[in-house]
Amino acid sequence: MKKSNRKRILSRYGLIIFFILLGAVGVCYKLIDTTYLSADKWNAKALQELSKMEKILPDRGDILAADGSLLATNLHYYTVRMDYRSERFMEKRLLQAIDSIADSMAVHFPIRTAKEWHDHLLAPLDKKKNERPRAYRVIGNISYSEYQLLRTFPFFKIKNPNRNGLTVEARLRRVNPYGDMARRSIGGVGQTKECSEIHGISGLEKALDTLLYGKAGLYKKVPVTRGIVNWTEQPAEAGYNIRTTIDIKMQDIVENELNDVLSFVNADWGVAVLMEVATGDIKAISNLEKNKNGDNYIEGMNRAVLGFEPGSVIKTLSMLIALEEGIVSDVNRVYSTGSSWAYAGGRPITDAHGVGSLTVSEVIERSSNIGMSKIITSRYDAHPGDFYSAIKKIGFLEPMNTGIAGETVPRIDSVPNNRGGRITLSRQCYGYATEIPPLYTLSIYNAIANGGRYVRPRLVKELSSERGDSMLPVTYIRDQACSPENAAKLRQMLTNVVWGDHGTGRRLRNDKVRIAGKTGTCYMIEGGGYNTSKKRLAFCGFFPAEEPLYSCIVLVANPRQNAFGAASTSGEVLKNVALKLYSRGMLNNSSDYKVGEPTPTTPTLYAAVNERANERIRSELGIKGQRRALEHPKKAVSGVPNVVGYGLRDAIATLENAGYNVEFRGAGYVCSQSPHAGQSLSPGSKITLSLTE
């Protein structure tokens, strides 16, 4: 029996040894094959891998406002995970600290309540140890400062990741610190059908992608003594930082004023562009449309560079042509107009408030379709196509090259010299049968305000990188779109639109800023024809009228309530913008005039769900927020002053001057105060301020 057992054991050992020897022979054969027999093949494969060049993605450049404030930049965001099966995971320590952790998370990351955080963090412990997750998502999409804060919480502050299981994943994201401010003009980034890399897909991000993207580098794998490392063959070059012409304060004013009027009249959409007369710098550009999922307005399609029938605002261009081509020279020359005029057998041209006759100047002041048509057709009746040539000669049909993606050029057809061409000409001269982007219309008004010099609108003023800086000069489409003398005549006509006895923009008069400009109304096209129940209302002009600093155009589409005129909608936006600039001393004035109650300059158009994220981005970048203007009341304030929205220094000064002691928490501007404003407290009482972090 013993012999039999021994024999079986030895046979098993023999079998094991046989397989071991067989494996050893296989290893030896493979070694010989790799080293000698197939050496050339493996060396070729190794050489192929080692010679392969891989791309190093460059850092994308930032987009900056005129004062250097960040409008678009790259930030790392972090996802925190926990390994509940880490080797030395301290489960008891977690259970002891869970209440403190949950309370801290609820305060600083209020996406869950304390109880919800408690349940969320303990949920994996309900499973068997070998079934617990190795990468449980605690929280995602947090900034570096928030991650650092999280690491100060109980249990999470343990440095050894084997004990608390914490791991973190970093991801680079393109962010806009000021949220939706000028978002369509700034643009966005993402992957495209042609390329899986991140490139600009709209706005400046797309138009200037080659500059922002930079230059990709190359690396390859190189064998060294201790292994294989990545060797940089050609370093990546970071993209240029692009400084735009956008002024944050002006942008905020324009967006808020446009938003207020759109909300008041319940319009479909609106666009506003504010430009500096001397340089063509676009200081603010806002495109708002009705939120399909709510009653508010959000940043929408960039209609500032898309073509629309302009309506009567284009009469100014027609009058410029008439003056430059010598069709009229005396602005007091009288044309018979009436209320209806049939030309070339077409549908009669009408004026809403027709009179028997008008001077050339009054044609613009009263916005006469008949008067404008009679002036233009008096020269181009026999050759309607020459009107197109005259417009082309001044550069109006050339690309602006502003840097805004999606920019289109005007469509003003060169009509044939026949009856149909004559009828089309008679409509083109007062704003129909054309498609003109608002930015082009604004450029002509800006040229008139600029003494005839046709400056090119621009959104980019400087490029900077480690390789050096480059200032982009002011350029001109034409040195003169019209003579200084004709520009002066046109400025007076546009001033009369607001300040004349019969001007269509009389409601825009005010005693602070003298405005000049032109109203425009046009029916909207739907289903291949005009919808007479829907109007697109425009106002284009400049201010101060006597020494223009800024030009501005506003369009409001389909107002449904409260106001239905071009002056009372689009004109009201321009007037309010001008008054706000005046009240802040931004029109070369030192006025203490205030328009309404001071409001925070932080953009108010953000959806509530984005506001916390935008504040977090500003904090991450060291932007401490925007201050509310300090008030200087003319009479004593009863009770505790309201300092919400003030900067810390102004808030302390206001409260201490009122006789109170001040304590504060945080940095930035005041977001709340305790006790609240208006309460009656004895002198020397303590006021606690909470500031944005």
Side-chain angles (χ1 to χ4, degrees):
M1 192 69 167
K2 289 183 178 179
K3 261 187 176 184
S4 177
N5 287 338
R6 184 180 179 190
K7 188 176 180 179
R8 281 199 300 271
I9 292 171
L10 288 175
S11 64
R12 289 174 183 172
Y13 275 119
L15 189 62
I16 292 170
I17 291 171
F18 171 77
F19 282 113
I20 290 174
L21 290 174
L22 187 64
V25 170
V27 170
C28 291
Y29 172 77
K30 198 64 181 176
L31 178 63
I32 294 170
D33 178 67
T34 303
T35 309
Y36 296 103
L37 301 179
S38 304
D40 292 342
K41 182 182 75 172
W42 291 111
N43 287 336
K45 283 190 175 183
L47 185 62
Q48 182 182 5
E49 288 298 317
L50 293 174
S51 62
K52 187 185 295 183
M53 291 290 184
E54 300 288 347
K55 185 179 288 188
I56 304 173
L57 297 180
D59 292 332
R60 190 172 183 83
D62 297 332
I63 298 179
L64 313 172
D67 63 355
S69 301
L70 285 165
L71 297 178
T73 188
N74 304 308
L75 278 184
H76 278 101
Y77 279 75
Y78 299 86
T79 297
V80 179
R81 299 183 182 276
M82 279 181 68
D83 179 2
Y84 283 81
R85 280 194 279 164
S86 58
E87 186 178 352
R88 301 171 64 188
F89 186 75
M90 303 177 71
E91 183 177 333
K92 290 183 180 179
R93 186 83 170 266
L94 172 60
L95 292 172
Q96 291 171 352
I98 187 62
D99 290 337
S100 298
I101 298 172
D103 289 342
S104 299
M105 294 294 286
V107 170
H108 297 284
F109 304 101
I111 56 174
R112 292 185 176 92
T113 64
K115 184 181 185 308
E116 289 171 340
W117 276 115
H118 180 282
D119 296 341
H120 177 68
L121 294 172
L122 293 187
L125 298 182
D126 294 337
K127 299 180 180 180
K128 295 178 181 179
K129 190 166 185 179
N130 61 349
E131 295 178 356
R132 293 174 183 174
R134 301 301 304 261
Y136 186 70
R137 190 176 187 272
V138 176
I139 190 170
N141 200 34
I142 62 174
S143 67
Y144 179 73
S145 60
E146 288 176 321
Y147 170 65
Q148 292 292 93
L149 174 65
L150 182 143
R151 291 305 303 267
T152 65
F153 297 167
F155 187 73
F156 290 162
K157 65 183 178 182
I158 298 173
K159 294 183 179 180
N160 189 338
N162 269 334
R163 297 188 175 187
N164 61 13
L166 277 191
T167 59
V168 63
E169 301 168 0
R171 184 167 62 93
L172 198 63
R173 269 182 55 196
R174 192 73 166 172
V175 298
N176 301 90
Y178 287 93
D180 284 342
M181 179 176 281
R183 183 64 180 272
R184 289 288 177 174
S185 299
I186 296 167
V189 299
Q191 295 179 340
T192 63
K193 294 180 180 179
E194 297 78 19
C195 181
S196 60
E197 297 173 3
I198 301 300
H199 286 276
I201 57 176
S202 63
L204 279 177
E205 296 274 19
K206 179 179 180 180
L208 304 176
D209 184 67
T210 53
L211 295 171
L212 289 164
Y213 182 75
K215 187 177 180 181
L218 296 171
Y219 77 89
K220 64 180 181 179
K221 297 184 182 298
V222 175
V224 295
T225 306
R226 295 186 177 182
I228 296 177
V229 298
N230 294 332
W231 180 269
T232 300
E233 191 75 14
Q234 177 183 321
E237 294 182 6
Y240 283 96
N241 295 327
I242 295 179
R243 187 184 294 267
T244 69
T245 59
I246 294 293
D247 183 294
I248 293 295
K249 295 178 181 177
M250 293 184 184
Q251 178 70 34
D252 184 51
I253 290 171
V254 169
E255 287 196 359
N256 282 322
E257 295 307 323
L258 179 61
N259 181 71
D260 289 347
V261 169
L262 292 179
S263 299
F264 179 68
V265 301
N266 191 24
D268 287 346
W269 55 264
V271 58
V273 184
L274 181 69
M275 190 160 70
E276 190 173 59
V277 168
T279 63
D281 287 355
I282 297 172
K283 310 305 289 184
I285 179 169
S286 180
N287 297 273
L288 302 180
E289 61 186 33
K290 196 74 173 286
N291 187 350
K292 295 179 181 178
N293 300 316
D295 294 330
N296 62 321
Y297 287 85
I298 59 176
E299 188 73 14
M301 183 187 301
N302 201 339
R303 294 180 172 90
V305 292
L306 300 181
F308 300 99
E309 285 189 324
S312 292
V313 289
I314 209 62
K315 288 174 183 170
T316 303
L317 172 62
S318 299
M319 187 62 76
L320 182 150
I321 298 297
L323 290 170
E324 283 294 295
E325 296 296 313
I327 301 172
V328 295
S329 56
D330 181 6
V331 297
N332 294 314
R333 178 181 172 181
V334 177
Y335 282 81
S336 62
T337 52
S339 58
S340 178
W341 180 52
Y343 171 70
R347 180 172 53 84
I349 300 170
T350 60
D351 281 339
H353 304 286
V355 294
S357 62
L358 295 172
T359 65
V360 170
S361 180
E362 287 175 330
V363 167
I364 296 295
E365 179 182 338
R366 290 176 178 261
S367 193
S368 171
N369 297 336
I370 297 172
M372 197 73 257
S373 295
K374 284 195 170 185
I375 290 172
I376 294 300
T377 56
S378 68
R379 166 65 63 87
Y380 300 112
D381 178 79
H383 300 282
D386 289 352
F387 180 64
Y388 169 87
S389 300
I391 294 175
K392 186 177 181 180
K393 184 170 69 174
I394 67 172
F396 187 71
L397 304 180
E398 295 181 10
M400 291 287 186
N401 298 320
T402 57
I404 303 175
E407 177 186 304
T408 58
V409 297
R411 183 189 65 80
I412 301 177
D413 296 334
S414 179
V415 295
N417 296 327
N418 57 25
R419 175 178 173 274
R422 294 167 64 200
I423 293 173
T424 300
L425 168 68
S426 67
R427 270 62 173 174
Q428 284 181 338
C429 66
Y430 64 83
Y432 283 86
T434 62
E435 289 182 359
I436 299 174
L439 189 60
Y440 276 79
T441 303
L442 177 61
S443 71
I444 281 294
Y445 281 73
N446 195 82
I448 293 167
N450 202 25
R453 300 206 71 188
Y454 199 178
V455 66
R456 186 183 301 278
R458 63 174 187 170
L459 198 56
V460 178
K461 64 187 301 184
E462 182 183 0
L463 305 176
S464 63
S465 72
E466 296 177 354
R467 304 181 292 281
D469 299 345
S470 177
M471 292 292 295
L472 304 182
V474 174
T475 59
Y476 296 86
I477 298 171
R478 293 287 186 274
D479 188 59
Q480 294 287 149
C482 64
S483 68
E485 294 76 19
N486 285 334
K489 292 177 182 178
L490 288 164
R491 284 198 300 275
Q492 186 57 53
M493 291 182 196
L494 295 172
T495 301
N496 291 343
V497 170
V498 178
W499 300 93
D501 293 338
H502 305 286
T504 57
R506 296 191 303 277
R507 66 169 288 130
L508 304 181
R509 296 175 182 177
N510 65 89
D511 60 352
K512 304 300 178 184
V513 184
R514 195 170 172 85
I515 293 169
K518 180 74 184 72
T519 55
T521 302
C522 189
Y523 292 123
M524 298 175 65
I525 297 176
E526 286 186 353
Y530 290 108
N531 185 339
T532 56
S533 66
K534 292 185 177 182
K535 294 181 179 180
R536 187 170 49 250
L537 307 170
F539 190 89
C540 191
F542 44 83
F543 55 87
E546 57 277 8
E547 293 183 10
L549 294 175
Y550 298 101
S551 59
C552 182
I553 187 168
V554 183
L555 268 67
V556 172
N558 190 29
R560 296 180 178 85
Q561 62 188 33
N562 297 326
F564 301 94
S568 59
T569 55
S570 298
E572 196 69 16
V573 175
L574 187 147
K575 182 183 78 170
N576 292 341
V577 167
L579 290 175
K580 286 289 176 67
L581 294 181
Y582 178 84
S583 72
R584 287 156 175 75
M586 299 169 74
L587 296 181
N588 293 338
N589 64 303
S590 57
S591 173
D592 61 353
Y593 171 71
K594 303 292 181 185
V595 180
E597 291 297 320
T599 55
T601 59
T602 303
T604 59
L605 304 180
Y606 309 149
V609 69
N610 291 328
E611 183 58 27
R612 174 178 154 75
N614 294 327
E615 289 291 346
R616 181 186 67 202
I617 293 168
R618 290 195 283 272
S619 175
E620 178 75 5
L621 296 170
I623 302 172
K624 297 299 184 181
Q626 303 294 324
R627 297 180 180 179
R628 179 177 132 205
L630 180 62
E631 299 178 64
H632 298 284
K634 296 180 180 179
K635 60 181 181 179
V637 178
S638 176
V640 177
N642 179 16
V643 295
V644 173
Y646 283 10
L648 180 59
R649 182 184 300 175
D650 293 338
I652 291 176
T654 300
L655 292 171
E656 288 184 345
N657 288 339
Y660 301 108
N661 294 319
V662 182
E663 289 186 359
F664 63 90
R665 296 189 299 269
Y669 61 89
V670 179
C671 62
S672 65
Q673 64 182 77
S674 179
H676 297 301
Q679 295 188 24
S680 298
L681 299 177
S682 59
S685 297
K686 182 177 72 174
I687 307 294
T688 302
L689 306 178
S690 295
L691 289 81
T692 54
E693 293 296 335

